[in-house]
Amino acid sequence: MKAAERHTSMTAEKLNGDMKRRPSYPGELRAKHANMSTKIWVKVAMAIAYFLCVSVAAFILVIYYVFFWTPDKPGNGTSTEAPNRTECAPRLG
């Protein structure tokens, strides 16, 4: 019984190994793990690029609306167009 306990504890030590030691993989698995880490950085870079593009577009709109846009003043009497009024039709029934 003690031999079985010793065997399982030694196997657990072997599996866990030294925490400071990096795991060694066969060639195919090593390439797979390397690709995973590069995929993560590509995703992070794409997210940052998207955020910057959206932020730059928002900043341009802020500059336009603060410095260049002049809203139409209602009721100044110079407009020849009919006022934009939306009325609901009465319910039938």
Side-chain angles (χ1 to χ4, degrees):
M1 184 122 179
K2 291 215 177 213
E5 287 176 16
R6 249 186 276 149
H7 179 67
T8 56
S9 67
M10 287 177 65
T11 308
E13 280 181 21
K14 262 186 168 178
L15 289 176
N16 291 340
D18 188 11
M19 294 306 271
K20 294 177 185 175
R21 192 171 150 210
R22 294 181 68 186
S24 63
Y25 300 105
E28 198 171 304
L29 277 175
R30 183 176 295 161
K32 181 181 175 184
H33 285 282
N35 285 340
M36 253 195 312
S37 65
T38 56
K39 285 181 186 179
I40 291 171
W41 283 109
V42 168
K43 288 179 184 180
V44 169
M46 292 300 290
I48 290 171
Y50 174 78
F51 177 75
L52 288 176
C53 289
V54 171
S55 298
V56 167
F59 185 72
I60 290 170
L61 284 174
V62 165
I63 296 297
Y64 172 75
Y65 281 119
V66 168
F67 294 112
F68 302 111
W69 185 64
T70 54
D72 294 333
K73 306 265 188 214
N76 60 3
T78 59
S79 177
T80 58
E81 296 178 15
N84 187 7
R85 292 192 183 133
T86 306
E87 296 179 10
C88 295
R91 287 181 85 172
L92 300 175

